[in-house]
């Protein structure tokens, strides 16, 4: 990926380009396939912010155009194992509007406690990335840190062509005490599933933790994945082992994960904000 940026008054302008290469060792005709594509676009970002007493309101606006072109092989020539496999050529205009409320002081920084984000996607060619159909899409995302130890969020997406709610989610997180963290999440996927997920995380000490995840699909009446994760935070990396049981297919698996410590810490601190730093999107 190549990109550069420059400022035009309060607006940051970012042209970018990407070369995509994928190799498939097995296709539908038992052969091999190499697929190429190019992606190019331009993104503009602007920010407005104001203090209201001890509360700071930050608004971000983003307008972007992106096009995927020169796709050398269509998705129906190989097995669909990954979202990138369903890519088709497309053009897309994106508008994003994000509002954030933070508590604090201009001299010391502030902590985010509420955010609301709206995303509008328009595709002139009626082809959208990842196999989506139609020429319009609306998404919104709301997060509220109700108390220091309790947060909730709502998410939804709508297809302009059909007017249907395609996906929706409602969840909450509760830090019961220093050692116990609970989370619950309900998700609606149109024509697919209505799933409920419950997570329990126990901090054994500053480095070791155990997490248990359970999923149930109300629409199909199925118990889905049951996961046990053991994690240790090291000096430079975070190591984890996952035991997964799927009752539906009577399947059992074991997996390992490694995260660099600074990336892991950044994810954990995603709700923190500094008013002196730039706010934007990747």
């Amino acid at each position: 990926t190549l990109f550069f940026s420059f400022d035009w008054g309060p607006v940051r302008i970012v042209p970018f380009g990407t070369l995509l290469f994928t190799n498939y060792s097995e296709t539908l005709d038992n052969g091999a396939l190499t697929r190429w594509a190019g992606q190019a676009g331009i993104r503009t970002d602007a920010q407005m912010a104001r203090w209201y007493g001890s509360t700071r309101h930050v608004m971000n606006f983003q307008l972007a155009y992106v096009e995927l072109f020169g796709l050398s092989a269509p998705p129906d020539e190989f097995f669909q194992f990954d979202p990138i496999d369903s890519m088709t050529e497309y053009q897309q205009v994106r508008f994003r509007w994000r509002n954030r409320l933070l508590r604090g002081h201009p001299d010391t920084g502030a902590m985010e406690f509420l955010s609301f984000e709206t995303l509008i996607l328009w595709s002139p060619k009626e082809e959208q990335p990842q196999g989506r159909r139609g020429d319009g899409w609306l998404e919104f995302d709301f997060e509220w840190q109700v108390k220091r130890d309790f947060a909730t969020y709502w998410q939804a997406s709508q297809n302009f062509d059909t007017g249907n709610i395609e996906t929706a989610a409602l969840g909450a997180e509760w830090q019961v005490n220093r050692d116990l963290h609970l989370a619950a999440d309900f998700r609606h996927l149109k024509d697919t599933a209505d799933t409920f997920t419950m997570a329990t995380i126990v901090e054994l000490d500053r480095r070791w933790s155990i997490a248990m995840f359970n999923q149930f699909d109300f629409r199909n009446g199925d118990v889905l994945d049951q996961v046990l994760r053991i994690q240790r935070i090291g000096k430079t990396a975070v190591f984890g082992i996952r035991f997964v049981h799927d009752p539906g297919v009577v399947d059992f698996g074991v997996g390992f994960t490694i995260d660099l410590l600074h990336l892991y810490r950044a994810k954990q601190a995603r709700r923190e904000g500094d008013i002196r730093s730039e706010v934007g999107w990747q």
Side-chain angles (χ1 to χ4, degrees):
T1 301
L2 298 175
F3 69 93
F4 64 95
S5 65
F6 59 93
D7 295 332
W8 183 33
V11 179
R12 172 155 294 183
I13 301 174
V14 186
F16 59 89
T18 304
L19 179 64
L20 303 173
F21 164 77
T22 311
N23 180 263
Y24 300 89
S25 59
E26 186 175 354
T27 61
L28 294 175
D29 60 1
N30 297 321
L33 179 66
T34 297
R35 187 165 67 151
W36 297 84
Q39 187 179 62
I42 186 169
R43 190 184 77 224
T44 59
D45 295 275
Q47 176 179 288
M48 300 173 61
R50 183 177 178 181
W51 278 97
Y52 297 90
S54 61
T55 300
R56 184 169 176 82
H57 181 199
V58 180
M59 285 195 299
N60 287 84
F61 302 91
Q62 182 187 88
L63 181 63
Y65 172 81
V66 61
E67 181 172 357
L68 182 72
F69 55 90
L71 198 64
S72 60
D76 56 9
E77 291 191 10
F78 37 82
F79 298 100
Q80 302 290 309
F81 288 122
D82 192 87
I84 197 173
D85 297 340
S86 61
M87 272 193 172
T88 57
E89 294 187 3
Y90 68 89
Q91 297 174 346
Q92 189 175 80
V93 178
R94 304 171 184 170
F95 173 73
R96 191 188 300 262
W97 178 37
R98 186 183 185 196
N99 290 267
R100 305 168 63 221
L101 294 180
L102 305 93
R103 291 193 185 99
H105 190 275
D107 297 329
T108 59
M111 178 77 71
E112 178 181 323
F113 68 91
L114 188 147
S115 70
F116 176 80
E117 183 173 317
T118 302
L119 173 65
I120 299 175
L121 307 175
W122 176 59
S123 300
K125 289 186 175 181
E126 297 189 356
E127 287 285 353
Q128 299 195 28
Q130 315 305 339
R132 286 180 176 177
R133 294 287 179 175
D135 59 5
W137 200 267
L138 170 67
E139 298 180 2
F140 78 86
D141 187 314
F142 178 86
E143 295 186 19
W144 181 21
Q145 189 77 32
V146 183
K147 298 168 57 179
R148 188 176 186 86
D149 57 1
F150 183 79
T152 183
Y153 58 87
W154 299 272
Q155 299 170 341
S157 64
Q158 182 182 27
N159 189 322
F160 282 165
D161 293 346
T162 63
N164 294 327
I165 298 296
E166 300 289 333
T167 64
L170 170 63
E173 301 177 6
W174 180 27
Q175 188 73 44
V176 181
N177 54 44
R178 187 184 64 179
D179 303 323
L180 178 60
H181 180 93
L182 301 177
D185 178 278
F186 177 80
R187 291 184 179 268
H188 165 74
L189 303 175
K190 182 178 176 293
D191 301 327
T192 304
D194 292 309
T195 61
F196 176 77
T197 304
M198 182 69 188
T200 304
I201 304 173
V202 180
E203 304 286 344
L204 301 178
D205 56 31
R206 295 181 60 184
R207 295 190 176 276
W208 287 93
S209 67
I210 297 177
M212 292 161 284
F213 304 89
N214 292 277
Q215 278 191 326
F216 182 80
D217 182 357
F218 286 98
R219 182 177 304 186
N220 302 304
D222 295 332
V223 178
L224 304 178
D225 288 352
Q226 299 172 320
V227 180
L228 172 66
R229 186 198 69 197
I230 302 174
Q231 180 174 276
R232 185 182 189 279
I233 300 177
K235 292 183 178 180
T236 59
V238 179
F239 306 90
I241 180 172
R242 291 164 52 95
F243 302 92
V244 183
H245 176 233
D246 186 345
V249 295
V250 195
D251 191 20
F252 180 81
V254 180
F256 301 90
T257 60
I258 299 177
D259 266 329
L260 293 178
L261 183 59
H262 71 280
L263 296 177
Y264 174 80
R265 294 298 189 194
K267 295 176 186 177
Q268 295 296 101
R270 65 186 175 87
R271 293 185 183 274
E272 297 183 6
D274 186 338
I275 62 171
R276 296 161 295 182
S277 65
E278 182 182 66
V279 181
W281 298 274
Q282 298 296 323

